[in-house]
Amino acid sequence: MNGLLADCRARLGFDLLANTWNAVVIYALGEGPRRPGELRAEIGGISAKVLNQTLRRLEGYALVERRAYAEAPPRVEYGLTELGAGLLEPIRALGKWSAEHGDEFAAAQGWETDEAVVRD
């Protein structure tokens, strides 16, 4: 690897995944566009405000697109762009690693494990 790690292109991906909710929202949108309420129900544990901030941030990164429909009442959906869909494979790989090694990792941190919490 040439150059400094701090200036490496890989850092873009590392910074993207450093935000707690970015990868979770991208993963949740992997099955197709969703309305914000559907996303909140599927994800769980995320407030409407934080979900909205995350969706707007991902939209600004060109990973998610917002679709507003001219209906009464208004309807909005969010879906992955082609760029965002390209992140599904590495996010799923990290999820697989977490499912396989989560208990070991949690034990090293001194955390209690609950296999019911870990989903594929």
Side-chain angles (χ1 to χ4, degrees), residues 13-98:
F14 301 148
D15 287 346
L16 176 69
L17 295 179
N19 181 283
T20 302
W21 294 107
N22 286 349
V24 174
V25 171
I26 291 168
Y27 183 83
L29 289 172
E31 297 298 317
R34 301 273 195 293
R35 297 179 73 173
E38 295 170 328
L39 281 171
R40 280 193 65 217
E42 185 174 342
I43 293 170
I46 187 171
S47 69
K49 177 183 176 182
V50 171
L51 176 60
N52 187 52
Q53 290 171 341
T54 303
L55 288 166
R56 295 296 180 170
R57 180 174 46 255
L58 295 174
E59 187 179 14
Y61 294 161
L63 302 173
V64 167
E65 64 183 353
R66 180 181 187 268
R67 297 179 193 119
Y69 297 89
E71 300 174 351
R75 179 169 61 107
V76 174
E77 287 183 341
Y78 290 88
L80 294 176
T81 63
E82 188 174 331
L83 186 62
L87 281 170
L88 286 172
E89 184 177 345
I91 288 171
R92 287 178 178 149
L94 183 58
K96 183 178 183 225
W97 179 90
S98 298

